[in-house]
């Protein structure tokens, strides 16, 4: 006769085996799916990066192309209006669907954003590349999900794979890409369940872009890292506050220009054309074309002692916010790198610190404040600049994240856990856009 205690032990042992086999099945499932998304996103990023290099080089050789910027922007806006469906909502659409939205992310988003971003850079718009990579990744992941008929919960994970795979492969930072896909969805909250799929997608995506398609990534050196002291920490904290406030300024200005352009010119085609004219005017006012495109030369100059003018970061901020506010396609991250690096370089003279060191801190911190992703940015800093300055990288990421407030470049980003206490009542949940509207209604 079997004792009850023996039966319980056997049942517990059997349940443990079942649980373990279930975990293994889930692990293998998401390694396979994550790798598939990584291959797709890595290949898409490689195509995009090679195309971006080609159109940028051609624009540099043909300065007259700048005067076609209004026409090119109008063409892209017309294509989105005619064929894009809800693709025009870009990254915000993907974030909403990860949180359980019921809309479909159309597969056409990938070719549309690829073409639109290449046109922006060919003709001189000031924009980045992460938005394009993330949108291509999300669109491709959605397409795979429909093909294999996944359920709603698995769809969320697959979309996060698309975000991580696109980000990691376009910047050559697989660890940062992993955490970015987890962290960008909701401020203050991370789903550890998504670690395996997001890491696999980002890691395989980077391998695919770098080693299969031979895409190269630029790297910069922060140079000599100062020793820890009270004075150095005080200077770094002061700079970090300015990085966070600059991130906030960038986010607010982008959203303000979007609203202003839409209010003045509700027609998307006319709106983008007007934005192209505004960028051309800015070129003549600034007296230089240094603030067009990604801003790579500005970043490179920022890592040289005395390489940028004191207000170069403000010019790049203005060029980019006008370009994106008018509806041109492209991301925000690389311009944010340029803005942060240029600001750090400028602050080095004021604070009597080594220029490349502060440029590296600004490079990471301004992006951190605008995207509200402190862990991803900290890890990216280590991947790009090494671990010697890890303490300083963490300090500037934390402070910039706090001082950027509840603003950001992704208006559909959810406030999972607010940055300050007593801001939300229990059970309340807002996106950054809803939070802004709530504050505005209280003031009215």
């Amino acid at each position: 006769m079997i004792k009850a205690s023996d039966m319980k032990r056997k049942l517990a042992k059997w349940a443990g085996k079942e649980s373990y086999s279930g975990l293994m099945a889930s692990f293998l499932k998401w390694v396979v799916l994550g790798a598939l998304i990584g291959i797709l996103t890595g290949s898409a990023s490689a195509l995009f990066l090679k195309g971006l290099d080609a159109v940028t080089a051609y624009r540099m050789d043909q300065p007259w192309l700048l005067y076609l910027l209004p026409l090119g922007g109008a063409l892209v806006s017309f294509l989105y209006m005619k064929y894009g469906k809800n693709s025009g909502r870009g990254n915000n659409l993907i974030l909403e669907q990860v949180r359980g939205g019921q809309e479909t992310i159309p597969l056409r988003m990938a070719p549309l954003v690829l073409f639109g971003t290449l046109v922006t850079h060919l003709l001189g718009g000031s924009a980045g590349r992460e938005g394009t990579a993330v949108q291509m990744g999300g669109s491709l992941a959605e397409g795979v999900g429909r093909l294999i008929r996944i359920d709603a919960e698995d769809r969320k994970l697959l979309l996060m794979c698309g975000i991580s795979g696109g980000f990691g492969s376009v910047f050559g930072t697989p660890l940062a890409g992993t955490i970015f896909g987890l962290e960008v969805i909701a401020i203050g909250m991370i789903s550890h369940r998504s670690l395996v799929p997001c890491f696999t997608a980002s890691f395989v995506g980077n391998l695919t872009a770098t080693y299969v398609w031979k895409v190269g990534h630029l790297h910069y050196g922060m140079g000599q890292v100062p020793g820890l002291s009270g004075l150095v920490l005080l200077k770094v904290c002061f700079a970090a506050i300015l990085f966070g406030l600059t991130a906030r300024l960038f986010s607010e200005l982008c959203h303000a220009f979007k609203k202003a352009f839409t209010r003045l010119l509700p027609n998307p085609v006319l709106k983008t054309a007007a934005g192209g004219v505004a960028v051309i005017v800015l070129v003549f006012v600034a007296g230089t074309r240094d603030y067009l495109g990604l801003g790579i030369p500005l970043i490179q100059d920022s890592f040289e002692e005395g390489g940028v003018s004191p207000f170069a970061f403000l010019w790049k901020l203005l060029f980019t916010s006008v370009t994106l506010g008018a509806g041109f396609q492209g991301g925000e991250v690389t311009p944010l790198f340029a803005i942060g690096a240029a600001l750090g370089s400028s602050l080095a003279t004021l604070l009597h610190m080594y220029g490349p060191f502060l440029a590296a801190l600004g490079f990471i911190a301004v992006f951190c404040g605008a995207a509200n992703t402190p862990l991803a940015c900290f890890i990216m800093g280590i991947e790009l600049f090494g671990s010697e300055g890890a303490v300083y990288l963490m300090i500037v990421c934390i402070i910039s994240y706090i001082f950027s407030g509840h603003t950001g470049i992704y208006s559909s980003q959810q406030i999972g856990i607010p940055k300050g206490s007593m801001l939300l009542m229990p059970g309340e949940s807002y996106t950054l856009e809803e939070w802004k509207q709530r504050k505005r209604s209280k003031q009215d």
Side-chain angles (χ1 to χ4, degrees):
M1 187 173 179
I2 300 175
K3 294 181 180 180
S5 58
D6 292 336
M7 180 64 75
K8 286 182 179 180
R9 280 196 297 269
K10 287 184 178 181
L11 287 173
K13 187 177 180 181
W14 176 80
K17 287 182 178 178
E18 286 296 302
S19 175
Y20 184 75
S21 63
L23 288 174
M24 284 301 297
S26 177
F27 175 78
L28 292 175
K29 167 188 171 181
W30 284 109
V31 166
V32 171
L33 287 178
L36 175 59
I37 299 302
I39 292 170
L40 293 174
T41 54
S43 299
S45 291
L47 173 65
F48 170 53
L49 291 174
K50 287 179 180 292
L52 194 57
D53 288 342
V55 298
T56 300
Y58 190 71
R59 172 175 59 82
M60 299 297 287
D61 290 337
Q62 307 292 334
W64 58 270
L65 286 171
L66 175 64
Y67 301 106
L68 297 181
L69 185 61
L71 182 61
L75 171 63
V76 173
S77 290
F78 173 79
L79 292 175
Y80 267 86
M81 186 172 63
K82 187 75 174 177
Y83 306 106
K85 294 186 176 180
N86 56 355
S87 299
R89 289 165 57 200
N91 291 342
N92 288 312
L93 174 64
I94 296 173
L95 294 183
E96 290 167 8
Q97 302 318 298
V98 173
R99 295 201 306 272
Q102 301 302 312
E103 293 185 66
T104 299
I105 300 173
L107 189 58
R108 69 189 67 187
M109 174 185 276
L112 275 173
V113 73
L114 174 63
F115 174 75
T117 306
L118 291 178
V119 169
T120 297
H121 286 281
L122 173 66
L123 304 179
S126 176
R129 50 192 176 182
E130 127 284 340
T132 306
V134 167
Q135 289 176 52
M136 290 193 298
S139 176
L140 292 170
E142 177 86 326
V144 170
R146 286 200 298 268
L147 187 64
I148 63 177
R149 300 180 183 276
I150 58 173
D151 60 29
E153 285 302 309
D154 283 353
R155 179 192 182 225
K156 297 177 186 178
L157 292 183
L158 210 60
L159 290 175
M160 292 173 74
C161 286
I163 295 172
S164 289
F167 191 95
S169 60
V170 84
F171 292 118
T173 53
L175 299 182
T178 300
I179 305 303
F180 184 81
L182 306 177
E183 199 176 16
V184 74
I185 309 303
I187 295 173
M189 299 179 68
I190 288 181
S191 168
H192 290 91
R193 181 190 173 204
S194 311
L195 272 171
V196 170
C198 286
F199 171 74
T200 305
S202 186
F203 180 70
V204 173
N206 180 58
L207 288 180
T208 301
T210 304
Y211 296 103
V212 176
W213 299 112
K214 309 298 181 184
V215 170
H217 299 283
L218 292 173
H219 292 279
Y220 311 95
M222 71 189 314
Q224 183 179 358
V225 177
L228 277 173
S229 71
L231 182 59
V232 169
L233 285 175
L234 189 63
K235 291 178 178 180
V236 168
C237 289
F238 173 72
I241 292 172
L242 295 182
F243 294 149
L245 294 176
T246 301
R248 179 167 191 154
L249 174 63
F250 177 85
S251 300
E252 295 283 11
L253 203 57
C254 280
H255 298 316
F257 275 123
K258 284 179 183 179
K259 290 182 179 179
F261 275 115
T262 302
R263 191 183 303 115
L264 293 173
L265 295 167
N267 185 296
V269 175
L270 295 178
K271 177 181 72 173
T272 314
V277 173
V279 171
I280 294 172
V281 171
L282 281 175
V283 168
F284 282 97
V285 172
T288 179
R289 299 188 178 210
D290 291 348
Y291 308 114
L292 299 177
L294 288 170
I296 298 296
L298 181 60
I299 296 174
Q300 292 172 327
D301 289 343
S302 298
F303 282 88
E304 301 290 336
E305 285 287 354
V308 296
S309 64
F311 298 105
F313 76 97
L314 279 177
W315 279 114
K316 184 60 178 174
L317 189 152
L318 182 60
F319 270 77
T320 307
S321 56
V322 169
T323 298
L324 298 178
F328 283 91
Q329 294 302 308
E332 298 92 349
V333 173
T334 306
L336 283 167
F337 290 161
I339 293 165
L343 175 57
S345 179
S346 299
L347 287 174
T349 302
L350 176 66
L351 298 176
H352 302 288
M353 298 189 74
Y354 183 53
F357 168 72
L358 269 188
L361 297 186
F363 183 104
I364 294 299
V366 173
F367 166 45
C368 170
N372 295 302
T373 53
L375 296 182
C377 292
F378 167 66
I379 293 172
M380 174 178 263
I382 291 177
E383 286 185 293
L384 293 178
F385 303 114
S387 61
E388 189 178 356
V391 170
Y392 298 114
L393 290 168
M394 178 57 87
I395 288 171
V396 296
C397 284
I398 292 172
I399 293 177
S400 178
Y401 169 75
I402 296 298
F403 276 84
S404 66
H406 289 96
T407 63
I409 52 180
Y410 309 121
S411 58
S412 290
Q413 194 174 39
Q414 190 175 29
I415 303 175
I417 298 176
K419 298 181 183 182
S421 61
M422 301 177 66
L423 290 178
L424 297 180
M425 297 295 290
E428 287 185 322
S429 179
Y430 296 97
T431 65
L432 292 180
E433 179 60 29
E434 290 167 347
W435 175 255
K436 185 187 297 185
Q437 292 174 356
R438 180 176 183 261
K439 287 174 58 181
R440 192 181 297 119
S441 64
K442 282 189 173 183
Q443 291 172 355
D444 294 340

